[in-house]
């Protein structure tokens, strides 16, 4: 569903902190693509351009005691948890001060109660185990796991959903349905719907079309509270848009699809709501990221012994 | 005490002494107590931490890894070891890698139990020995149950290792007696190698042949040793490590150096095996002292048939080891 027509009527507003974080993630991801273009990064990376608002919206619904599972497209998940773009960039670039010594890189990060790994679907059973631990030792805390629409091709997802529903585990599954799994449109890789899948396991499902932070939080607050108080798992499905390629230079989508994604970009919607304030915040984060890129690039390589 | 009872007692002891320990698996709850009854009584005593699960090997192994990530100790029972293939991703790509891939050491206290091996007529998908597929994975340890190793000690060692472990249990052993090596032989712990048990006649360093074998082969190896002694006057020393990988051959050298032949026997099929790993390590250490390369005994390159006579023809038997020892000693 596109929101183009309603964009001006439903102009987005965010407080300064949220706006700064949204823009930090945006400029962080743009900087990565730029670094790649200049041959400064090793391997690959997956940017969350267009999807930044999802972890930003969720962060105020999550507590320190909660565990968060990011994924292969997880820079936004991490930055919404920790104000640490330098540590993340150092990790991706293999420089001193890297969160995980440069071993994990973009897709494998562990810090306190945040963890990510690079195999689709793998994190859901692990998150169920964490939720089981929390249920017994820290009631009220939950495990939140980010997955995509493509992740639903993996059997492990269903095993974990079944277990979590059966045992009423405090598991919050966030589905960032961006309509495309790497290069394969969701319509060509998923029969049926995410909602029907969740319902088949007796798991509540809530769909979100908007990128309005306040509206998202208002909708989700009571549902997330339900997960904390023994209501069992919840699947929240965001209809979102991946602006960029899967990794880098590998976007095979037709121009119309990419244009639609751009039309729905939160960046444009928030800019229209308050152009001057937005421009100031945008410039501030652009400058912040530029400085971090310069500073981290100048660091010596990270050190690690197996 | 039978080996299965010893293992059951080990799990009772673990749950009793460690309030963060879980046992997870399919059909493990009382009154059923697991397909091989190894978990009998556990769920009655520790209902919160003994969890009967759906048929989801990948899911429950990941669940265990999640518990371990939070500092708990998790034991997963895979009903038949063959099914551990379904949990390969969670073990190899998540649990094992998590120990080091985040830049600093992350303890993952987790044991995946795999009832393993043939000889019971369960056929191709319920009889295979998959040890070799888990050898050489960074961060992952491979152990095998043995009638010569107290399971509680082995479990303590596995959980203290700080990394995930796959524990292979030859199903045949469950009904055998602990520490039974017959009336001819003695057994002890290899000096300098606490986890290696030794079975021998009088002087282990003067045996004609050293057989290295995991726990599941002990019965067959001891019967072969008996026949060799009584019929051929050949003496053998059997070395049984509890931890198969990582494997340190160094402490075994005093025994290996004195022997005229060294042989590794395992039930799995040949090709990229634990035995070839052991042989390679021994070759690197004492190639010049060996009379001939370490010999390997494996089951035939075949699936494991169901019919008893066909199964016998494929799996390593006493006679296979017996003949391989004579062959290795032939000058």
């Amino acid at each position: 569903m596109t929101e183009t027509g309603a964009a001006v009527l439903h102009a987005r507003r965010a407080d300064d902190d949220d706006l700064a974080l949204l823009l930090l993630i945006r400029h962080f991801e743009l900087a990565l693509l730029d670094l790649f273009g200049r041959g400064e990064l090793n391997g690959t990376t997956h940017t969350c351009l267009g999807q930044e608002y999802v972890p930003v919206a969720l962060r105020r619904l999550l507590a320190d005691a909660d565990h968060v599972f990011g994924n292969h497209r997880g820079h936004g998940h991490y930055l919404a948890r920790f104000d640490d773009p330098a540590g993340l960039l150092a990790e991706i670039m293999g420089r001193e001060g890297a969160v995980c010594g440069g071993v994990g890189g973009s897709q494998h990060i562990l810090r306190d109660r945040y963890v990510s790994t690079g195999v689709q679907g793998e994190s859901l059973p692990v998150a169920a185990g964490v939720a089981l631990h929390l249920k017994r030792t820290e009631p009220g805390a939950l495990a939140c796991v980010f997955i995509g629409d493509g992740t639903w091709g993996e059997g492990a997802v269903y095993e974990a959903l079944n277990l979590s529903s059966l045992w009423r585990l405090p598991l919050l599954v966030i589905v960032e349905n961006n309509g495309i799994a790497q290069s394969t449109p969701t319509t060509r890789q998923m029969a049926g719907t995410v909602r029907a899948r969740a319902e088949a396991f007796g798991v509540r499902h809530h769909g979100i079309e908007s990128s309005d932070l306040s509206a998202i939080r208002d909708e989700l607050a009571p549902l997330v509270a339900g997960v904390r108080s023994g209501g069992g798992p919840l699947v929240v499905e965001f209809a979102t848009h991946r602006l960029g390629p899967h990794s880098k230079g590998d976007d095979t989508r037709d121009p119309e699809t990419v244009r639609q994604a751009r039309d729905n970009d939160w960046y444009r919607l928030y800019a229209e709501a308050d152009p001057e304030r937005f421009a100031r915040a945008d410039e501030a984060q652009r400058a912040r990221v530029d400085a971090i890129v310069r500073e981290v690039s100048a660091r010596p390589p990270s050190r690690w012994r197996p | 005490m039978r080996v299965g009872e010893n293992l059951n007692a080990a799990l009772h002891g673990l749950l009793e002494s460690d309030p963060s320990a879980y046992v997870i698996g399919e059909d493990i709850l009382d009154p059923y107590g697991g397909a091989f009854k190894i978990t009998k009584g556990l769920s009655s005593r520790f209902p919160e931490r003994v969890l009967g699960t759906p048929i989801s090997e990948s899911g429950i192994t990941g669940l265990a890894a999640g518990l371990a990530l939070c500092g708990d100790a998790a034991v997963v029972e895979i009903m038949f070891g063959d099914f551990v293939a379904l949990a390969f991703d969670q073990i190899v790509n998540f649990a094992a890698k998590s120990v080091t891939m985040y830049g600093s050491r992350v303890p993952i206290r987790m044991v995946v139990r795999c009832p393993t091996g043939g000889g019971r007529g369960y056929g191709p998908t319920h009889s295979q020995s998959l040890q070799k597929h888990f050898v050489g994975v960074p961060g992952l340890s491979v152990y095998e149950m043995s009638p010569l190793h107290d399971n509680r000690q082995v479990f303590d060692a596995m959980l203290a290792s700080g990394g995930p472990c796959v524990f292979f249990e030859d199903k045949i052993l469950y009904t055998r007696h602990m520490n039974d090596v017959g009336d001819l032989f003695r057994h002890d712990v290899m000096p300098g190698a606490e986890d290696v048990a030794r079975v021998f006649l009088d002087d282990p360093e003067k045996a004609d042949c050293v057989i290295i074998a995991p726990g599941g082969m002990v019965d067959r190896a001891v019967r072969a040793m008996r026949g060799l002694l009584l019929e051929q006057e050949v003496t053998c020393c059997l070395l049984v490590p509890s931890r198969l990988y990582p494997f340190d051959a160094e402490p075994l050298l005093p025994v290996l150096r004195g022997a005229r032949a060294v042989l590794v026997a395992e039930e799995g099929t040949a090709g990229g095996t634990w035995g070839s790993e052991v042989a390679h390590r021994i070759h690197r250490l004492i190639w010049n002292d060996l009379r001939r390369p370490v010999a390997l005994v494996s089951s035939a390159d075949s699936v494991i048939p169901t019919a008893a006579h066909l199964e016998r023809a494929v799996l390593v038997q006493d006679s296979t080891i017996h003949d391989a020892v004579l062959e290795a000693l032939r000058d």
Side-chain angles (χ1 to χ4, degrees):
Chain A
M1 180 190 283
T2 69
E3 301 180 354
T4 319
V8 179
L9 287 176
H10 299 284
R12 306 291 191 246
R13 291 184 190 283
D15 66 30
D16 288 348
D17 280 357
D18 279 337
L19 191 57
L21 180 55
L22 282 168
L23 291 164
L24 169 71
I25 302 171
R26 170 61 53 102
H27 288 294
F28 186 89
E29 299 293 54
L30 290 173
L32 285 187
L33 289 180
D34 179 57
L35 285 164
F36 256 117
R38 293 192 277 116
E40 299 287 327
L41 296 191
N42 189 35
T44 190
T45 198
H46 309 106
T47 64
C48 65
L49 292 166
Q51 304 175 194
E52 297 92 334
Y53 67 91
V54 177
V56 174
L58 285 163
R59 68 176 178 137
R60 293 210 180 140
L61 299 171
L62 298 175
D64 287 346
D66 296 335
H67 285 249
V68 174
F69 287 75
N71 57 33
H72 65 295
R73 203 176 296 290
H75 307 153
H77 307 149
Y78 178 82
L79 294 173
R81 188 76 168 166
F82 305 104
D83 182 31
D84 181 30
L88 180 60
L89 184 62
E91 182 61 36
I92 295 167
M93 298 188 79
R95 299 301 161 96
E96 216 164 64
V99 193
C100 297
V103 184
S106 167
Q107 303 188 68
H108 318 93
I109 308 257
L110 176 68
R111 177 171 172 185
D112 303 334
R113 295 191 167 193
Y114 177 91
V115 64
S116 66
T117 182
V119 179
Q120 288 300 311
E122 191 178 71
S123 62
L124 252 149
V126 180
V130 168
L132 174 64
H133 172 87
L134 293 173
K135 182 179 177 168
R136 193 166 151 251
T137 60
E138 297 176 52
L142 58 77
C144 169
V145 51
F146 288 90
I147 64 173
D149 46 286
T151 318
W152 293 85
E154 296 288 356
V157 172
Y158 303 90
E159 296 189 8
L161 268 190
N162 184 47
L163 271 170
S164 307
S165 180
L166 209 54
W167 296 347
R168 313 307 291 163
L169 299 181
L171 180 71
L172 173 61
V173 181
I174 304 298
V175 186
E176 294 173 284
N177 186 344
N178 59 18
I180 188 158
Q182 191 150 337
S183 73
T184 306
T186 304
T187 48
R188 290 180 65 182
Q189 58 91 3
M190 180 186 284
T193 62
V194 171
R195 173 183 291 278
R197 282 164 164 75
E199 286 172 351
F201 292 98
V203 171
R204 288 168 305 157
H205 172 280
H206 187 82
I208 292 200
E209 302 282 335
S210 170
S211 59
D212 185 300
L213 300 179
S214 311
I216 294 169
R217 287 168 182 159
D218 288 348
E219 276 180 54
L220 289 184
L223 296 169
V224 172
V227 176
R228 296 187 188 285
S229 59
L234 168 70
V235 171
V236 178
E237 180 183 7
F238 284 83
T240 187
H241 303 273
R242 195 189 80 196
L243 287 184
H246 164 67
S247 50
K248 52 191 197 296
D250 59 354
D251 203 341
T252 50
R253 294 175 294 180
D254 63 72
E256 174 57 21
T257 307
V258 178
R259 192 190 62 76
Q260 274 181 19
R262 289 219 181 91
D263 286 345
N264 283 283
D265 186 7
W266 60 266
Y267 183 90
R268 193 177 65 78
L269 301 176
Y270 278 89
E272 283 170 1
D274 192 345
E276 282 178 30
R277 181 169 147 259
F278 185 90
R280 279 195 304 277
D282 194 36
E283 191 43 45
Q285 292 307 316
R286 187 197 316 274
R288 183 185 180 200
V289 170
D290 280 353
I292 288 166
V293 168
R294 275 196 304 278
E295 191 268 312
V296 170
S297 302
R299 294 184 190 179
S302 67
R303 277 174 293 185
W304 179 70
R305 292 174 72 86
Chain B
M1 183 183 254
R2 292 178 197 275
V3 177
E5 292 164 349
N6 179 270
L7 178 56
N8 174 258
L11 295 173
H12 272 279
L14 171 66
L15 287 164
E16 197 175 277
S17 66
D18 184 348
S20 79
Y22 286 78
V23 175
I24 303 158
E26 299 157 14
D27 300 293
I28 64 168
L29 302 187
D30 289 336
Y32 191 70
F36 296 100
K37 311 304 167 200
I38 301 304
T39 58
K40 214 158 186 60
L42 299 181
S43 67
S44 301
R45 285 184 68 197
F46 310 99
E48 279 198 351
R49 293 183 287 129
V50 178
L51 308 173
T53 71
I55 303 173
S56 305
E57 286 78 9
S58 167
I60 63 177
T61 307
L63 186 93
L67 289 168
L69 204 57
C70 294
D72 294 332
V75 177
V76 182
E77 174 174 307
I78 302 291
M79 187 184 287
F80 284 84
D82 310 62
F83 312 159
V84 76
L86 292 156
F88 200 70
D89 175 61
Q90 286 293 347
I91 295 170
V92 173
N93 281 328
F94 186 74
K97 287 177 184 171
S98 289
V99 177
T100 55
M101 77 170 163
Y102 297 115
S104 54
R105 210 158 181 88
V106 178
I108 300 284
R109 295 195 303 146
M110 166 179 170
V111 176
V112 181
R113 292 184 40 232
C114 301
T116 290
R120 295 191 48 163
Y122 293 138
T125 63
H126 291 61
S127 307
Q128 202 80 40
S129 294
L130 296 181
Q131 288 89 330
K132 67 180 180 183
H133 299 289
F134 295 91
V135 168
V137 178
L140 185 67
S141 299
V142 180
Y143 283 74
E144 182 157 329
M145 185 174 72
S146 129
L148 306 175
H149 294 84
D150 176 62
N151 282 297
R152 183 61 204 279
Q153 283 182 23
V154 176
F155 267 75
D156 285 348
M158 289 193 285
L159 293 171
S161 76
C165 300
V166 186
F167 186 56
F168 289 93
E169 305 165 4
D170 194 308
K171 304 190 268 282
I172 290 293
L173 291 181
Y174 292 143
T175 54
R176 300 286 200 272
H177 289 278
M178 289 294 290
N179 299 311
D180 181 6
V181 292
D183 51 357
L184 280 180
F185 302 108
R186 293 190 286 144
H187 70 95
D188 68 0
V189 174
M190 176 89 195
E194 262 184 31
D195 91 314
V196 179
R198 209 161 52 159
V199 183
F200 53 95
L201 186 64
D202 39 35
D203 185 348
E205 297 190 15
K206 293 208 170 118
D208 299 312
C209 177
V210 173
I211 303 170
I212 303 171
M217 299 299 290
V218 168
D219 270 8
R220 282 168 274 183
V222 168
R223 284 197 299 270
M225 284 163 65
R226 185 185 177 86
L228 286 161
L229 181 69
L230 298 180
E231 295 156 24
Q232 312 283 341
E233 295 187 357
V234 166
T235 57
C236 296
C237 172
L238 171 65
L239 301 179
V240 184
S242 165
R243 190 179 72 184
L244 305 186
Y245 193 89
F247 185 79
D248 183 8
E250 191 97 38
L252 312 184
L253 298 185
V255 172
L256 301 178
R257 275 207 177 92
R260 287 164 52 209
V262 178
L263 180 145
V264 187
E266 55 194 333
E267 185 170 305
T269 54
T273 68
W274 172 73
S276 52
E277 167 72 16
V278 170
H280 173 69
R281 282 173 191 261
I282 294 170
H283 292 162
R284 301 245 324 189
L285 289 169
I286 53 167
W287 178 257
N288 291 331
D289 299 338
L290 293 171
R291 294 192 169 205
R292 53 175 293 161
V294 175
L296 301 180
V297 174
S298 309
S299 292
D301 181 16
S302 166
V303 298
I304 299 173
T306 308
H309 67 292
L310 300 177
E311 192 180 25
R312 262 197 309 277
V314 159
L315 296 176
V316 171
Q317 307 291 318
D318 324 348
S319 58
T320 328
I321 300 172
H322 179 278
D323 295 350
V325 169
L326 290 182
E327 170 69 23
L329 288 172
R330 193 184 299 159
D331 284 319

